[in-house]
Amino acid sequence: MTALGRQVWGLTIPAVAWAAHFIAIYALISAACAPRGLIDIPLMFGLGIVATVLFGIAALWPTIRPPKGAALTGAIRVGGLIFAVAILFDVLPLIFSSGCGG
Amino acid sequence: MSDRDRNSGLLGTVFAILSGVIVSLAVGVWALGTPGNDPVGAAAVTAGTFMEGKFRWLRAEPENVPQDWVEISKTVRGGDPQRGATLIAQYGCGSCHVVPGVARAHGTVGPDLSGFRDRAYIGGVLSNEPGDLVDWLMNPTTHAPDTAMPDLGVTETDARHMASYLYTLRGS
Amino acid sequence: MTAVDEPQSYSGTRKGEPDKTIEEVWAQPTGLRWWSSVSHRVVGKRFIYTGFAFFIIAGFLALLVRTQLIVPGNTFLDNETYNQVFTMHGTLMMFLFAIPILEGFAVYLIPMMLGARDLIFPRLGQFGYYCYLFGGIIVLSSFLFDAAPDGGWFMYVPLTTNAFTPGVSADFWLIGITFAEIASVTAAVELIVAILCARAPGMSLTKMPIFAWYILITAFMIAIGFPPLIIGSILLEANRLLGLPFFDPTVGGDPLLWQHLFWLFGHPEVYIIFLPAAGMVATILPTFVGKPLFGYGFVVAAVISMGFISFGLWAHHMFTTGLPILSLSLFSAASTMVAVPTGVQIFAFIATLAQGRPRMTTPMLFVMGFLFIFVLGGLTGVMLASVPFNWQAHDSYFVVAHLHYVLIGGMVFPLFAAFYYWAPHITGRMMSERLGKWVFWLMFIGFNATFFLMHVTGLRGMPRRIATYPEGIGWDRLNLLSTLGSYILAAGVALFIFDFIRHLRHGERAGRDPWRAGTMEWLYPTVAIGFNFHAIPPVETREPLWNNPNMLGKNAEDVEGVMRKMHDGRRETIGCDPVSGSPVQIVRLPHPTFTPMFTAFALAVAFAATIASAYFVAIAGIVAGLLGFTIWAWEPSDSGVTRDAGMGYVLPVNMIEKRSHMHIATVGTMLVLYALLGSLIFALLYLWNVYPNFAAQTAQPNLLWTGLSMLAGLVLLILAMINRRVAVADKIGLATVMNLAVILASIACTACLALAIQRTDPWGTALGATMWATLGFVALNLFITLYWALFNAARKVTGRVGAGQSLPDFNLATYAKGTAVMVLITGGLFLAATLGGLS
Amino acid sequence: MGSTLDQFGSQTTFADAGIGAARTVWLTNSMSIISLVILAFVMLVALFAWRSTGGGRVWWIIGGGIVFPLITLSVLTVASATTLRSITGEAQPEAPVIEITAYQYWWDVVHHSEGRSLRDANEIVLPLNMAVTLQLKSNDVIHSFWVPSVSGKMDMIPGRINELTITATKEGRFRGQCAEFCGLSHPLMAFEVLVLPVEEYAAYLESLDEDARDAVTPQQRRGKEVFLTSGCTACHAVNGVSENGRLGPDLSRVGARASLGAGMWRMNRGNLAGWIADVGDMKPGAQMPSYNDLSGPDLRAVAAWLESLK
């Protein structure tokens, strides 16, 4: 793959990591808080943290070590940062709430 | 662009911004006020009265206008049309009648009261005169026992206000 | 095969006409045949003009709404008419104005900006336009039948089910809009491929004009965002026609499922509308500043993150539906996050302003208006992400104010900037700067007068969508002023229309590159030739007209580039590597044809007949449509030859490999199809999760047949892989055999899946109905695979395909693989239901 | 000029008649002010950028586009989460339960008290300073329960029971309205909330349990007879007179309500008569037929009797 190709991947990976994380958190909340009650709250919490660490690293990776090439490095850094913060924001409700609430 | 053009352009911009701000402020204050609270309207009226006083000479005084006897015959003593409109809305006349100028008064149970002033009869039983109208509004069932119009318990004062409003409804 | 074949040596329905000049080959059809034009310029303009016509109609409806609300208790419109009017206002604006007109601009501009002679699938463009036109006509025609939709543009169930909306008004909406959406999705796939595969030599992704990035991301968002609504609409229509209980809570359906599907589309939709318009701003702004866009990379990153994050906030339209507080907090947090990429873009625009001395032209005025209005709209959007505030403001006039700030500020103002900016390009004349400033100020003042006050109206408790309101509870004067403001706004639009008509005859003639812009669409004198480039110039920078002295220094037709010397007598453009932009192939483009129009018309008949319950006509329409597609695709392949494009590029025509534009389009289509499947799977899991007791009542799939269906899926997958290898190896006879094997496997997959859930009653529970819907969707894909394989086999048997022309089989293999994976996924879900039980 | 509905008060969210509303007002106000300040700031920066030729700086984008929003958003998230918790934290398991079912286009209200289910309609009486759990349901399409001056809104969705805890903190009448588009007469689907001190609330509950007031005058007796013989009882219930009608609002104390037609018209004899004679005009799409076949005196009698039910 060309250097530019790798850089484009560097832009995409954090985005995909965010999407996977968001789907994971949404699925966990749905599994825990819907009438079926597939999993209990502590498990939801634990899996949520695991997913956050995992995808958070994936999202930050290109920011820390951008693929070689100069064309998009700035954009990769900013993009990775935005998505990492978004991942953090998405998990905040899980951390700060004691249950499904309401 | 000469200095003069630039200056007039600047003046124009400042003027436009200032008048924009003033108009927006006035409109905003008016818009946010409740119906009973209208400082902008009051200020406008005050200003208008003041200006009218200053420019009264502009208005020609009418001379020898003949008396309008129809006008006089349809005048209800002690009636305030504006108060009447409010009362018409409060007594719920609009659920049966169309009453122009009263919000949500578009009932189709009773007759349309548009152009009421030009009607010949009231409820098909009384002639359309101020006294009879006030009486009808207070006790429709005494005059027409089979009418669908209920006695609404209208007091005489209220009836006078309402009647005076109804006489403001002219035919087209 | 020699490296460079003689022009006459390739096959094709259209033998090359090398004796013709390039102008003659690209000549626009005239007379009645004008309708058969496939040129991106013509189709783009048609999208723009038609979209604007819908804007005028929808704007007129908005004026009716405002007039009704001018005083309390008004009787100008009765409740029923009012409901129809506000429903159609929203529907027309969102589906038939905003997206199509922006796609029209993209269709018109993208090839010229990127250095292509036409859009990559011209016939698809024509097909999309006619789908849009006919769909729009179907929706609008409901007024003639006195059956205009009146359930709101959001069509919430159960209000729009048969029980509460008998008659055909909702059908008009569901069918007409779904049809028009086909246009949006086809245009999206086409734009993705056009941007990735047809750029000037050397235009790598980082050298693309920023507008192309915006459109690329938008097109991806359309491809993923529209499917949930398409699925939702089909489920609701199936509910209305067949009584399938997807949304009926008494048998395990859920009205909220519709809301989820609708907003899964509806929220990204807002960004789908905003992004192309922001792309216009990012194109117009640098021109008038005279310096390149500041922070190109930041903006690209911001657009990508916006494209993703905007999918994560659909439920913030559902804060009051009683979702768990934890869900609300998640969506609240996700909603606020979208402010970050927005902020990056806004500040990149501001930083661009600081680069030079901006010229205050009419387009710039509109851009500044955009900045003001959109920032305020964005800020109220952040307010709405706060859950407690949302509980008060939701469905009140505050939201009306917010959404108009975002949409009019974020889309209509940039659009008007674009009208003034690109009008000389389209018509060859400049619009009036003087009138333009009047248009701007009327629209700006009118807009703010109308909508700023609505924030207050809403917080004073006025709900949306009410035809009348009682007097004296604090809304009278605000509404009066809003209405007056809307008349001022309308006056601005009217003045614009006057200016546009005036400028067609009396406008000053525009010179070459009248605004001194840097992007390639301005290379030729205004109202340029129909094929954009005599020779496609290599591109080194993002603003070639500024940085390459050759470009504006020479006559446009003399600018050096590839393909100058090609006189094959065919329409062709250069195809490139998606990332680096280096030329990899020559793409042969079709000539004018009526086939797509006929196909779209046949489908329109099918859809309209469905509304009228004339099912035989509908079936006839579908058959005719299928016939249309078949004729469309029947012509022989252009692959298999190599041509010298000049400048040292000797390139294959319509190459057979993964980077082929056809293959990328197939992959793009699979993306759409997987989004559709994903929506159905979401529905399945949602219903299963929310109503466990009804899930338990649904009959479990049969284990044996489920297993067999997965096996059949696996076989299909392997066959598809073999089919590709055979295609690449160019063994025609073997490929025909593989086609037949794929057909058999498709039939086996369909039969096994159907037998697996034969005991499940689609009318019994909503979950059962959704299982059948999923099966139906997979079966449709299997049918397309089957039909395509049959088609390929037929072409090979009849000798329409020669050596080195196995591109259709190459693409079929990709499609069949995708379908096989769908079968495996569906089979896996059924298996899980059987083993884990539905309870 | 007074208004016909001024007795209900306006239905503004800028109010402190309930905990939900009062605790949101400061959020509304502060967010509005901050928004306008940010708008002004961005515009000033743009103006500055317009006039300068110094070139953009990357830190503008980083600062203005990322850092500043993140700080603001964090503050906002904390503020709104705190407010949310303080509102939803009012829920108490032993709070009185009021079951509200929305119909196209009216509200059925059932107070659950000491094992009794006490029915009323279109007027929701709440005890002062006491958390109440509302169980919100729908009989047909999606509606939304909203009393802006008291609390935020909550949807009423068929097949679901949404719970909303509200605490009214001010005596008086407040207007509420359906906030989700629900069909033809959506704009005419309002209601009133009457907040009473706890003792008066208890008395109100007792009054729901009692038979309706007896007909006294000859006209009222005639009205009751017409009511019983004209088919009204198929849909409407009046305690002690006919208790099986459940399709329409309970009329046991209809005359005591301040409004008619789900919060839309003043309760008086004129409006009652107009309503009975021509519902279709006053509320298009309502299920009730228009009784224009009643003779004039009968119509007046029914209206008079209904007005007397307090």
Side-chain angles (χ1 to χ4, degrees):
Chain A
M1 199 191 285
T2 61
L4 186 59
R6 270 191 289 274
Q7 288 231 311
V8 173
W9 274 112
L11 270 182
T12 327
I13 287 170
V16 175
W18 174 86
H21 178 260
F22 180 83
I23 293 171
I25 299 291
Y26 178 67
L28 285 172
I29 292 178
S30 305
C33 298
R36 181 172 285 273
L38 209 57
I39 56 177
D40 53 10
I41 306 283
L43 183 60
M44 168 186 79
F45 181 77
L47 290 177
I49 296 300
V50 170
T52 305
V53 172
L54 226 64
F55 292 121
I57 290 172
L60 273 176
W61 187 251
T63 308
I64 299 163
R65 306 198 55 183
K68 286 198 180 65
L72 290 169
T73 306
I76 292 172
R77 288 224 157 98
V78 175
L81 216 60
I82 293 177
F83 282 114
V85 173
I87 285 178
L88 190 70
F89 257 68
D90 287 353
V91 83
L92 282 184
L94 225 56
I95 295 171
F96 284 108
S97 64
S98 44
C100 295
Chain B
M1 209 197 295
S2 71
D3 275 2
R4 197 182 154 158
D5 283 350
R6 192 168 297 156
N7 281 342
S8 63
L10 190 69
L11 266 179
T13 315
V14 169
F15 179 75
I17 292 175
L18 265 183
S19 45
V21 167
I22 290 170
V23 168
S24 317
L25 270 180
V27 169
V29 168
W30 179 76
L32 296 179
T34 49
N37 177 13
D38 187 3
V40 177
V45 169
T46 315
T49 322
F50 178 74
M51 294 308 278
E52 198 201 4
K54 294 284 171 204
F55 292 100
R56 184 157 293 162
W57 53 270
L58 276 174
R59 268 202 343 218
E61 292 295 327
E63 294 167 26
N64 290 332
V65 178
Q67 293 274 36
D68 183 349
W69 293 107
V70 180
E71 185 67 46
I72 291 167
S73 76
K74 299 278 182 184
T75 305
V76 186
R77 264 186 301 143
D80 171 7
Q82 221 180 2
R83 175 110 188 83
T86 313
L87 288 166
I88 286 172
Q90 284 182 1
Y91 279 105
C93 307
S95 57
C96 293
H97 299 283
V98 173
V99 192
V102 176
R104 296 192 297 147
H106 46 79
T108 47
V109 177
D112 186 340
L113 300 185
S114 313
F116 183 82
R117 183 193 167 93
D118 302 334
R119 291 285 172 83
Y121 285 91
I122 304 165
V125 290
L126 293 173
S127 59
N128 191 358
E129 303 293 342
D132 286 347
L133 178 57
V134 169
D135 209 37
W136 169 266
L137 290 173
M138 290 163 68
N139 306 298
T141 52
T142 3
H143 301 288
D146 282 346
T147 182
M149 176 162 165
D151 293 334
L152 298 173
V154 182
T155 63
E156 185 174 339
T157 339
D158 284 358
R160 283 185 179 282
H161 295 312
M162 288 155 77
S164 70
Y165 179 75
L166 290 177
Y167 283 133
T168 64
L169 305 174
R170 292 158 196 267
S172 51
Chain C
M1 199 164 31
T2 52
V4 180
D5 307 79
E6 283 307 299
Q8 289 82 3
S9 71
Y10 65 87
S11 61
T13 37
R14 269 177 199 280
K15 287 292 179 191
E17 298 159 309
D19 46 323
K20 280 192 175 177
T21 63
I22 184 167
E23 280 82 5
E24 284 164 351
V25 170
W26 286 86
Q28 287 301 320
T30 50
L32 264 186
R33 294 193 59 85
W34 179 69
W35 296 99
S36 72
S37 175
V38 291
S39 161
H40 78 98
R41 288 186 180 229
V42 176
V43 172
K45 275 192 274 186
R46 283 180 190 164
F47 264 112
I48 293 171
Y49 290 140
T50 315
F52 196 77
F54 280 117
F55 173 68
I56 301 300
I57 297 170
F60 175 71
L61 295 177
L63 287 182
L64 293 184
V65 165
R66 281 315 323 168
T67 307
Q68 163 69 11
L69 295 176
I70 190 166
V71 290
N74 202 358
T75 50
F76 173 65
L77 302 175
D78 57 28
N79 287 7
E80 190 186 356
T81 317
Y82 181 87
N83 293 347
Q84 292 177 340
V85 166
F86 85 72
T87 300
M88 289 296 269
H89 166 69
T91 305
L92 295 184
M93 282 291 190
M94 294 300 258
F95 294 104
L96 300 176
F97 158 64
I99 293 192
I101 201 168
L102 291 171
E103 282 187 340
F105 267 101
V107 165
Y108 183 85
L109 292 171
I110 283 291
M112 284 182 283
M113 281 188 172
L114 299 184
R117 282 185 176 157
D118 203 337
L119 215 52
I120 199 118
F121 300 119
R123 287 177 295 183
L124 196 62
Q126 194 205 50
F127 175 72
Y129 173 73
Y130 284 113
C131 285
Y132 159 57
L133 180 68
F134 294 142
I137 289 174
I138 288 177
V139 174
L140 260 193
S141 69
S142 61
F143 273 120
L144 299 180
F145 299 98
D146 196 19
D150 57 358
W153 83 281
F154 43 92
M155 294 287 285
Y156 274 8
V157 291
L159 183 62
T160 49
T161 55
N162 272 333
F164 301 101
T165 308
V168 292
S169 62
D171 303 314
F172 268 112
W173 192 96
L174 292 166
I175 287 175
I177 291 302
T178 305
F179 193 38
E181 275 164 10
I182 295 176
S184 298
V185 175
T186 54
V189 172
E190 183 173 16
L191 287 168
I192 291 173
V193 182
I195 293 171
L196 289 180
C197 295
R199 303 198 296 270
M203 189 189 272
S204 64
L205 282 182
T206 50
K207 298 282 192 311
M208 286 202 306
I210 192 70
F211 186 68
W213 268 108
Y214 273 100
I215 296 297
L216 182 65
I217 302 300
T218 309
F220 273 112
M221 290 178 69
I222 293 176
I224 297 172
F226 273 55
L229 179 62
I230 294 178
I231 288 295
S233 301
I234 291 173
L235 297 189
L236 180 50
E237 190 57 36
N239 177 311
R240 291 179 60 85
L241 288 181
L242 308 171
L244 291 172
F246 301 104
F247 310 112
D248 182 358
T250 55
V251 288
D254 192 352
L256 283 191
L257 174 60
W258 167 265
Q259 296 193 15
H260 277 292
L261 290 173
F262 186 85
W263 292 116
L264 261 169
F265 144 82
H267 198 84
E269 153 102 340
V270 177
Y271 294 87
I272 289 170
I273 290 173
F274 164 69
L275 282 176
M280 290 167 166
V281 170
T283 311
I284 294 169
L285 200 59
T287 298
F288 293 110
V289 179
K291 291 278 163 40
L293 179 68
F294 186 83
Y296 178 90
F298 290 100
V299 175
V300 170
V303 176
I304 293 178
S305 37
M306 209 171 195
F308 273 82
I309 294 176
S310 65
F311 278 91
L313 22 147
W314 78 89
H316 86 189
H317 298 260
M318 301 166 61
F319 276 178
T320 63
T321 54
L323 297 177
I325 300 286
L326 193 52
S327 291
L328 298 188
S329 310
L330 169 67
F331 284 104
S332 173
S335 306
T336 55
M337 276 317 293
V338 92
V340 172
T342 316
V344 168
Q345 287 174 64
I346 295 291
F347 277 92
F349 295 159
I350 290 177
T352 307
L353 274 181
Q355 305 245 79
R357 283 231 169 270
R359 281 179 279 157
M360 184 49 100
T361 55
T362 303
M364 267 311 255
L365 262 183
F366 276 102
V367 167
M368 297 314 284
F370 148 82
L371 212 58
F372 178 88
I373 297 173
F374 181 74
V375 167
L376 187 52
L379 289 166
T380 51
V382 172
M383 291 171 74
L384 282 168
S386 157
V387 177
F389 177 74
N390 190 294
W391 281 351
Q392 282 286 21
H394 178 72
D395 268 341
S396 78
Y397 261 81
F398 187 89
V399 173
V400 179
H402 159 70
L403 78 91
H404 283 94
Y405 263 82
V406 176
L407 290 176
I408 295 189
M411 186 265 173
V412 176
F413 272 72
L415 186 73
F416 273 73
F419 282 141
Y420 276 94
Y421 183 72
W422 278 295
H425 196 285
I426 296 176
T427 64
R429 290 172 187 268
M430 310 291 285
M431 291 182 71
S432 162
E433 279 289 309
R434 189 187 162 80
L435 284 177
K437 294 203 162 76
W438 275 97
V439 171
F440 170 77
W441 284 110
L442 282 174
M443 284 181 67
F444 187 76
I445 292 170
F447 170 82
N448 282 297
T450 309
F451 294 104
F452 189 81
L453 296 173
M454 281 187 192
H455 292 115
V456 184
T457 321
L459 291 176
R460 283 191 173 182
M462 179 159 168
R464 296 170 80 171
R465 299 163 188 143
I466 56 173
T468 175
Y469 53 93
E471 63 283 6
I473 50 180
W475 307 338
D476 309 7
R477 293 177 184 175
L478 291 165
N479 274 302
L480 174 67
L481 288 171
S482 283
T483 302
L484 296 180
S486 72
Y487 295 154
I488 301 177
L489 179 58
V493 177
L495 186 62
F496 168 80
I497 297 170
F498 168 76
D499 187 17
F500 188 81
I501 294 170
R502 187 201 60 84
H503 105 291
L504 288 177
R505 287 186 68 87
H506 304 294
E508 188 192 333
R509 285 199 183 277
R512 189 178 174 195
D513 194 5
W515 304 112
R516 302 200 293 281
T519 40
M520 271 212 294
E521 80 268 27
W522 298 104
L523 175 61
Y524 278 78
T526 51
V527 198
I529 42 170
F531 51 92
N532 305 338
F533 302 96
H534 284 88
I536 297 170
V539 169
E540 314 289 323
T541 65
R542 287 173 205 138
E543 288 87 12
L545 298 197
W546 287 350
N547 301 328
N548 187 345
N550 247 337
M551 294 277 203
L552 291 176
K554 286 184 176 184
N555 276 337
E557 57 265 37
D558 298 331
V559 172
E560 287 161 37
V562 296
M563 303 190 82
R564 176 181 298 288
K565 298 225 173 61
M566 291 186 66
H567 291 295
D568 289 359
R570 281 291 304 269
R571 296 184 168 194
E572 41 204 353
T573 190
I574 204 92
C576 72
D577 179 84
V579 177
S580 71
S582 56
V584 291
Q585 63 168 339
I586 287 162
V587 178
R588 290 244 159 91
L589 300 170
H591 290 238
T593 165
F594 280 108
T595 318
M597 182 185 178
F598 164 76
T599 313
F601 183 73
L603 293 181
V605 168
F607 280 108
T610 313
I611 298 176
S613 308
Y615 296 113
F616 288 108
V617 182
I619 290 168
I622 288 171
V623 171
L626 203 59
L627 191 72
F629 283 123
T630 312
I631 295 170
W632 180 340
W634 184 253
E635 55 182 66
S637 171
D638 283 321
S639 310
V641 286
T642 309
R643 307 285 296 124
D644 183 355
M647 298 187 103
Y649 292 111
V650 178
L651 303 169
V653 172
N654 291 6
M655 64 177 179
I656 303 170
E657 66 153 290
K658 284 185 180 171
R659 289 178 299 169
S660 152
H661 61 293
M662 297 287 224
H663 185 258
I664 290 185
T666 312
V667 174
T669 310
M670 289 318 292
L671 185 71
V672 177
L673 294 173
Y674 270 93
L676 289 166
L677 181 69
S679 310
L680 280 166
I681 292 176
F682 173 82
L684 278 176
L685 293 177
Y686 179 85
L687 292 175
W688 173 77
N689 194 27
V690 170
Y691 286 111
N693 48 333
F694 285 105
Q697 288 173 24
T698 310
Q700 291 179 0
N702 179 301
L703 183 60
L704 175 69
W705 287 112
T706 306
L708 284 177
S709 71
M710 291 185 75
L711 197 66
L714 206 60
V715 169
L716 182 60
L717 185 66
I718 293 165
L719 285 174
M721 285 173 170
I722 299 174
N723 205 345
R724 165 179 280 180
R725 285 178 177 254
V726 171
V728 174
D730 206 16
K731 296 197 171 96
I732 293 181
L734 202 54
T736 313
V737 176
M738 291 316 298
N739 287 159
L740 296 177
V742 164
I743 291 174
L744 291 179
S746 304
I747 294 172
C749 286
T750 315
C752 292
L753 279 176
L755 287 170
I757 57 168
Q758 57 174 320
R759 286 188 304 119
T760 308
D761 176 12
W763 284 273
T765 60
L767 188 62
T770 315
M771 283 163 75
W772 276 99
T774 313
L775 168 74
F777 175 72
V778 176
L780 178 69
N781 280 298
L782 285 165
F783 172 75
I784 294 170
T785 310
L786 181 154
Y787 193 79
W788 192 346
L790 200 66
F791 175 84
N792 281 0
R795 267 160 54 101
K796 273 173 290 205
V797 170
T798 52
R800 308 284 288 180
V801 181
Q805 299 188 331
S806 55
L807 189 58
D809 269 339
F810 188 84
N811 292 329
L812 166 66
T814 304
Y815 193 93
K817 270 196 278 184
T819 311
V821 173
M822 281 185 195
V823 173
L824 290 175
I825 292 173
T826 314
L829 280 175
F830 288 175
L831 193 67
T834 316
L835 298 179
L838 283 165
S839 51
Chain D
M1 188 175 126
S3 110
T4 49
L5 283 157
D6 53 6
Q7 59 174 317
F8 307 140
S10 57
Q11 65 181 47
T12 173
T13 66
F14 297 111
D16 55 354
I19 281 178
R23 292 190 183 160
T24 311
V25 169
W26 82 271
L27 204 60
T28 307
N29 288 336
S30 48
M31 286 198 302
S32 306
I33 291 166
I34 292 170
S35 293
L36 289 175
V37 169
I38 295 177
L39 174 71
F41 173 72
V42 174
M43 287 299 117
L44 282 177
V45 174
L47 194 69
F48 171 75
W50 185 284
R51 300 193 59 85
S52 92
T53 46
R57 298 274 183 278
V58 171
W59 61 262
W60 290 15
I61 299 181
I62 306 279
I66 301 181
V67 178
F68 177 68
L70 279 182
I71 297 171
T72 331
L73 294 177
S74 307
V75 174
L76 169 72
T77 309
V78 171
S80 106
T82 318
T83 310
L84 180 65
R85 192 169 290 190
S86 85
I87 293 171
T88 53
E90 293 292 317
Q92 291 152 13
E94 71 280 10
V97 172
I98 305 177
E99 189 186 326
I100 302 172
T101 311
Y103 289 67
Q104 276 178 332
Y105 307 93
W106 62 280
W107 315 78
D108 184 50
V109 183
V110 177
H111 294 260
H112 292 284
S113 161
E114 297 162 7
R116 296 172 300 177
S117 298
L118 306 168
R119 192 172 294 265
D120 200 348
N122 291 340
E123 183 175 82
I124 295 153
V125 180
L126 296 175
L128 184 66
N129 289 328
M130 188 193 275
V132 176
T133 302
L134 303 182
Q135 287 186 343
L136 303 173
K137 303 199 268 183
S138 168
N139 181 59
D140 34 50
V141 303
I142 300 177
H143 303 269
S144 190
F145 179 89
W146 189 26
V147 199
S149 305
V150 179
S151 166
K153 63 180 73 61
M154 181 66 80
D155 290 356
M156 311 165 94
I157 299 166
R160 285 173 182 252
I161 301 175
N162 278 338
E163 290 200 346
L164 176 69
T165 301
I166 64 174
T167 313
T169 53
K170 236 184 187 173
E171 256 187 89
R173 279 186 184 279
F174 307 96
R175 192 170 188 271
Q177 191 162 3
C178 174
E180 182 61 81
F181 179 64
C182 61
L184 203 54
S185 275
H186 167 58
L188 307 178
M189 183 171 171
F191 59 94
E192 293 157 49
V193 166
L194 177 61
V195 181
L196 297 176
V198 176
E199 319 81 64
E200 289 180 38
Y201 174 69
Y204 160 78
L205 288 184
E206 290 312 315
S207 78
L208 288 185
D209 208 10
E210 292 159 7
D211 283 353
R213 189 172 291 190
D214 206 12
V216 186
T217 65
Q219 192 188 27
Q220 286 170 8
R221 277 198 291 274
R222 172 70 191 147
K224 181 175 172 182
E225 197 184 316
V226 174
F227 182 85
L228 287 170
T229 53
S230 302
C232 308
T233 54
C235 299
H236 293 287
V238 176
N239 283 352
V241 177
S242 160
E243 299 183 351
N244 296 325
R246 280 285 172 262
L247 295 175
D250 188 288
L251 298 180
S252 306
R253 46 182 297 286
V254 59
R257 293 176 205 147
S259 74
L260 174 69
M264 291 313 294
W265 286 272
R266 209 169 269 255
M267 176 59 69
N268 61 36
R269 209 179 295 180
N271 278 332
L272 271 170
W275 177 271
I276 297 163
D278 196 359
V279 177
D281 180 66
M282 290 175 82
K283 190 174 269 194
Q287 302 287 318
M288 176 169 161
S290 294
Y291 281 83
N292 52 3
D293 53 345
L294 294 178
S295 72
D298 281 357
L299 180 69
R300 285 188 270 120
V302 179
W305 179 62
L306 289 175
E307 195 196 19
S308 76
L309 297 176
K310 292 185 178 175

